[in-house]
Amino acid sequence: MTATGASEGVGARGAPVSGPWWWARRRSAVLDVVLAAASAVECAFEGARFASGAQLPELVGVLLGLLAGPVLLVRRRWPVVVVLVSIAVIPAEMGGLLSTVGLYTLAASDVPRRITGLLAGMTVAGTLVTTFLSLRQDVLAQEDFQPPMWLLPAMSLALGLVLTAPPVLWGLYVGARRRLVESLRERADGLERELSLLADRAEERAEWARNEERTRIAREMHDVVAHRVSLMVVHAAALQAVALKDPEKASKNAGLVGDMGRQALTELREMLGVLRTADGAAVRGAAASGAPERLAAVASRAGAQATVQTRSPEASVVAESAGDGGPERGAPVAAPAAAEADSEGPYLAELGDLVGQSRAAGMVVELTVDGAAEGELAAAAGQRYAPPVERTVYRVVQEALTNVHKHAPGARARVRLAHREGELAVQVENGPCEGGAADAGLPSGGNGLVGMRERVTALGGVFVSGPTEAGGFRVSAVLPAASAVS
């Protein structure tokens, strides 16, 4: 509704107009028609009486009432017009229903309050003057009645207030309540839109988290299994090459292949057990977001067990029997590994065993730690950093050596580990592939370098890889040591 009293094309509750003309609903139109008819009848009778008293033809009064009464039809569209008409017919002592309904509609509308107050005051003034003159005329007609001077003005004022104040106050209350309901409805609609937007964003974040978890789990499985399987293929190729020439060496290579296979099966069984446990916890409502860390812990523990198996034939037999017996008998329980995910993991001190596995496969590997001798590796590279840092360095070296087996068979490799102030640096460099070395035919999915980069950058480090001038390949990583432990 505008400042002049003209309502816009919306209903009382902000809904689009669906009724005829300016009515929001059909029942509103019916109500206004009934009110207009009643007001027209009232004004016609009062107009005829006024015309008779003013010595005018009664037809004039009836026509005046029939013109003024039906104005209530436009009370929702132009409430100011209705009130002005009611004020105009006050001297003719007609339009009681017209004035009451008009004032109520005006007060309940969105017309500025100063206009409502002004028109209500004009109605009170008109009623006061008309009532005072009518009462004075009646008093003068009765010579034996002499009321006090204040009685007639007081009665006129009281009648004016009684006829004006109730519809105005009730209209103000209804209008305020309507605006409050509309405000609450708009706020509820806004909150519903915000909740819908938050739900969409939460779904996007959940999808992003699921993709991240898939990527991390795939990276863990790649790092854990690819190295073992690559060594198996290298040993199998060597076994094929020396099977007829050197049966003793062939037997040794066959034993290494079996050990590597058992190690790979053990690690796979461990990781699958963790995944099953995580899925079951998710079904029960428990959080399973730590699955990648649990996989890392399981992989490291399996690697440690595999190292023991390589050195102990009895342990190999135990692992083989575990592989035949299934996860229930041979696989360690994954839950303890999950509880120790932050404390377990490949440490820098285990790099010697990792390099020894590549040497056993025929690769020439040199390992240096800040110039320390290889025998002093455990003392020079002990657990001085947080498990994620040491685990990342271990995985970088492991994947780099695996890539040497794949892409540069027979090449010499050098692993360097440097403890610097505030950071830990590692570099794996290999020379060109020797022409006489047989290609093991290992497949490559192109995920090794990507996984190494993701691991290093996730800890705030720097990862660089690329070919060397000598025809080899170099992988370098620098990780911050801010999380170093004493």
Side-chain angles (χ1 to χ4, degrees), residues 63-96:
L63 291 177
L64 179 62
L66 292 178
L67 290 176
V71 176
L72 281 179
L73 284 173
V74 298
R75 70 184 183 93
R76 299 178 191 270
R77 183 71 173 176
W78 296 293
V80 175
V81 174
V82 175
V83 177
L84 289 176
V85 172
S86 68
I87 294 174
V89 299
I90 286 178
E93 297 182 354
M94 67 171 64

Side-chain angles (χ1 to χ4, degrees), residues 110-276:
D110 293 332
V111 175
R113 291 291 169 258
R114 61 179 183 275
I115 297 179
T116 302
L118 176 62
L119 294 178
M122 292 173 61
T123 302
V124 172
T127 304
L128 173 64
V129 173
T130 302
T131 304
F132 178 79
L133 293 178
S134 178
L135 291 176
R136 188 171 180 274
Q137 184 178 1
D138 294 339
V139 170
L140 291 177
Q142 299 178 6
E143 297 179 358
D144 57 342
F145 181 65
Q146 298 294 332
M149 296 182 58
W150 57 267
L151 181 60
L152 295 182
M155 293 181 61
S156 301
L157 179 61
L159 183 60
L161 292 176
V162 168
L163 295 178
T164 304
V168 171
L169 293 178
W170 182 251
L172 291 175
Y173 165 74
V174 171
R177 182 177 179 275
R178 181 182 302 158
R179 285 186 290 272
L180 176 62
V181 171
E182 292 177 358
S183 175
L184 293 177
R185 181 175 289 105
E186 291 177 358
R187 184 178 301 177
D189 293 341
L191 290 176
E192 185 177 357
R193 288 191 297 269
E194 291 181 4
L195 289 176
S196 177
L197 182 60
L198 290 176
D200 294 340
R201 292 181 177 176
E203 181 64 25
E204 293 176 359
R205 288 195 296 268
E207 182 64 25
W208 176 84
R210 285 193 292 267
N211 293 334
E212 284 292 314
E213 289 301 310
R214 293 192 196 101
T215 302
R216 294 173 64 184
I217 292 174
R219 184 169 60 240
E220 292 293 340
M221 296 186 69
H222 174 272
D223 292 343
V224 170
V225 179
H227 182 71
R228 304 291 184 194
V229 176
S230 299
L231 293 180
M232 288 174 57
V233 175
V234 171
H235 283 298
L239 175 62
Q240 184 180 8
V242 301
L244 299 178
K245 300 179 182 180
D246 192 349
E248 182 179 355
K249 187 174 182 180
S251 176
K252 180 180 178 181
N253 287 337
L256 291 174
V257 170
D259 291 340
M260 292 296 174
R262 284 187 289 270
Q263 295 167 19
L265 287 176
T266 301
E267 293 170 1
L268 278 174
R269 187 181 298 114
E270 290 279 353
M271 287 186 292
L272 292 176
V274 170
L275 290 177
R276 292 193 190 97

Side-chain angles (χ1 to χ4, degrees), residues 1 7-17 22-24 77 182:
M1 187 169 294
S7 63
E8 300 175 353
V10 294
R13 296 186 177 182
V17 175
W22 51 81
W23 286 285
R77 183 71 173 176
E182 292 177 358

Side-chain angles (χ1 to χ4, degrees), residues 20-83:
W21 291 349
W22 51 81
W23 286 285
R25 295 178 298 273
R26 294 186 181 275
R27 63 180 182 180
S28 299
V30 173
L31 176 61
D32 287 354
V33 169
V34 172
L35 290 175
S39 178
V41 172
E42 177 195 10
C43 290
F45 278 106
E46 292 175 347
R49 187 180 58 184
F50 171 75
S52 177
Q55 298 180 354
L56 295 173
E58 291 185 1
L59 182 60
V60 175
V62 172
L63 291 177
L64 179 62
L66 292 178
L67 290 176
V71 176
L72 281 179
L73 284 173
V74 298
R75 70 184 183 93
R76 299 178 191 270
R77 183 71 173 176
W78 296 293
V80 175
V81 174
V82 175
V83 177

